Amino acid sequence: MKAVVYRGPNEIQVEQVEDPRIEQPTDVVIRVTTTAICGSDLHMYEGRTVAEPGIVFGHENMGIVEEVGSGVATVKKGDRVVLPFNIACGFCRNCLAGKTGFCLTVNPGFAGGAYGYVGMGPYKGGQAEYLRVPFADFNCLQLPRGDEHEDDFAMLADIFPTGYHSTELAGVSPGDTVAVYGAGPVGLMAAYSSVLKGASKVFVVDRVPNRLRVASEIGATPIDFTKGNAPEQIIDQTDGGVDRGIDAVGYQATVPEGEEQPAVVLNDLIETVRPTGSLGVVGLYLPKDPGGPTEDARNGRLLINIGRFFEKGLRMGTGQANVKSYNRQLRDLIIAGRAEPSFVVSQRRPLDEAADAYARFDRREEGYTKVVLKP
């Protein structure tokens, strides 16, 4: 089958790789109908992780079930399904507690597994024609048959639940004011989820004009951090800062001049959020960053203003989304017409054009807010 294979920094190729097969009785194999390029894929694409050449990318996947293992009870051939990016067993201590992003079974020696991602187990990604799905009864979210809401449902694999998760980590409630740093796909989903949850005002901080434009279209207030200090801009429009802050940027954050400062968003959020407020951090931070600007940054150690954080009595929640905690409810909002996360999708490209799509998405080109690939 065809698949997107990482070959080194800024180099991917669509290659012929071995077809997936049923390896365990609880597996299914799906024919991928939609997969997407995630902002977190760009960390690997740019060589900013310890990913080795040969990884098949793709953790945002949906499709049609083609083969079913003998131990699968509820998923049938022909079912249309979307898959959480985090692979989970459903029966370990963390899964039973709803912490499916930190499954203790699927990636021995580490809490958490995922499709096509460095350090997240031996699982091939779904930027391909077919994909093996372990523990299928637990991991497959079944969808209405047909092709309605295809792009909306594809967002359930990662960015919609991750954006929603950030609002849960931050404790967003009706009437709250919220500041989201980062207007990439996850940041836009965080802002959208804040609006869905009844936030009274949502600010979105970025420097890319077309992304800020999309933020304004969903009712958020765009803040261009190149036009002035972002915390000051937001504090001037609130009563001493926002109630909740969300980091949807992560360790490749930059200052207006373009210099990378990995802790700048966390420190800006500490200033942006009012005393006793809270932060939700879903932007990616890693223990190893080969391209970090300092030795500490290359080893995941950042200089955070913990004194100011403590002085203000702030709280912080971190970590990847437990997609299974949200995807069923968010699916039903889509079906009911109450949510339409596909507003973020700006490009639909054939799988064969993945290399060009990656390069343009990485450059944050106009019209490349979110890219879906069609095998």
Side-chain angles (χ1 to χ4, degrees):
M1 69 172 182
K2 293 179 181 179
V4 174
V5 181
Y6 174 67
R7 286 301 169 202
N10 301 299
E11 183 183 357
I12 60 162
Q13 297 177 5
V14 177
E15 301 179 5
Q16 290 287 330
V17 304
E18 185 179 358
D19 289 345
R21 58 184 177 81
I22 301 293
E23 298 180 19
Q24 299 293 333
T26 52
D27 293 348
V28 301
V29 172
I30 70 164
R31 173 175 56 83
V32 179
T33 57
T34 298
T35 182
I37 304 174
C38 184
S40 59
D41 288 329
L42 297 181
H43 298 303
M44 293 189 294
Y45 174 74
E46 295 173 359
R48 295 297 295 271
T49 72
V50 294
E52 296 288 339
I55 290 179
V56 175
F57 279 175
H59 59 265
E60 298 184 62
N61 310 307
M62 66 177 291
I64 307 298
V65 176
E66 293 283 318
E67 297 180 54
V68 180
S70 61
V72 176
T74 61
V75 180
K76 309 299 182 188
K77 183 177 180 179
D79 281 354
R80 183 190 188 200
V81 298
V82 64
L83 312 170
F85 75 90
N86 28 45
I87 301 167
C89 69
F91 52 76
C92 73
R93 176 177 180 174
N94 283 347
C95 285
L96 289 172
K99 309 298 184 183
T100 56
F102 302 88
C103 177
L104 300 171
T105 302
V106 297
N107 190 10
F110 190 85
Y115 302 97
Y117 210 87
V118 59
M120 301 299 283
Y123 306 99
K124 286 185 169 62
Q127 289 174 13
E129 293 179 297
Y130 295 91
L131 178 69
R132 170 185 166 241
V133 180
F135 300 104
D137 281 318
F138 188 68
N139 288 302
C140 290
L141 178 67
Q142 287 152 305
L143 304 168
R145 295 202 177 198
D147 58 9
E148 190 177 11
H149 300 301
E150 180 81 7
D151 288 345
D152 291 309
F153 289 144
M155 301 303 103
L156 292 172
D158 183 353
I159 65 167
F160 194 13
T162 294
Y164 197 90
H165 181 60
S166 74
T167 69
E168 290 288 293
L169 291 173
V172 175
S173 296
D176 281 348
T177 52
V178 183
V180 179
Y181 277 70
V186 168
L188 291 171
M189 288 294 107
Y192 188 56
S193 297
S194 297
V195 172
L196 287 175
K197 293 179 80 169
S200 60
K201 193 159 192 177
V202 180
F203 299 92
V204 176
V205 181
D206 208 293
R207 65 185 300 168
V208 181
N210 64 295
R211 293 182 170 190
L212 290 171
R213 184 179 65 251
V214 175
S216 68
E217 289 171 356
I218 60 170
T221 300
I223 300 290
D224 186 339
F225 70 85
T226 68
K227 307 296 185 186
N229 180 276
E232 290 178 2
Q233 290 187 64
I234 294 169
I235 289 169
D236 286 346
Q237 298 182 58
T238 56
D239 184 17
V242 294
D243 301 305
R244 317 294 169 202
I246 292 169
D247 175 358
V249 179
Y251 70 105
Q252 287 187 255
T254 63
V255 295
E257 297 75 25
E259 176 192 7
E260 256 190 46
Q261 292 186 11
V264 67
V265 166
L266 291 171
N267 286 324
D268 277 356
L269 279 169
I270 289 169
E271 295 305 318
T272 302
V273 176
R274 64 168 177 80
T276 73
S278 52
L279 283 61
V281 179
V282 293
L284 186 65
Y285 292 90
L286 294 175
K288 294 291 181 183
D289 170 17
T294 66
E295 180 65 22
D296 279 335
R298 287 190 285 274
N299 288 281
R301 298 187 295 265
L302 307 182
L303 189 61
I304 298 170
N305 193 344
I306 191 67
R308 184 74 168 137
F309 181 85
F310 182 88
E311 179 183 65
K312 295 180 74 173
L314 301 176
R315 293 173 289 117
M316 182 189 296
T318 70
Q320 68 177 18
N322 305 302
V323 172
K324 286 281 295 185
S325 294
Y326 313 112
N327 64 353
R328 188 175 303 276
Q329 301 95 311
L330 297 178
R331 176 202 63 187
D332 292 346
L333 285 177
I334 292 169
I335 293 170
R338 300 290 299 278
E340 192 174 339
S342 62
F343 76 85
V344 77
V345 175
S346 58
Q347 292 286 329
R348 297 164 183 84
R349 303 284 297 274
L351 188 71
D352 286 338
E353 298 177 6
D356 181 67
Y358 261 91
R360 293 175 182 275
F361 184 45
D362 190 46
R363 292 194 295 265
R364 279 67 170 172
E365 286 189 10
E366 179 78 24
Y368 277 78
T369 305
K370 180 67 174 178
V371 182
V372 297
L373 300 174
K374 300 290 187 176

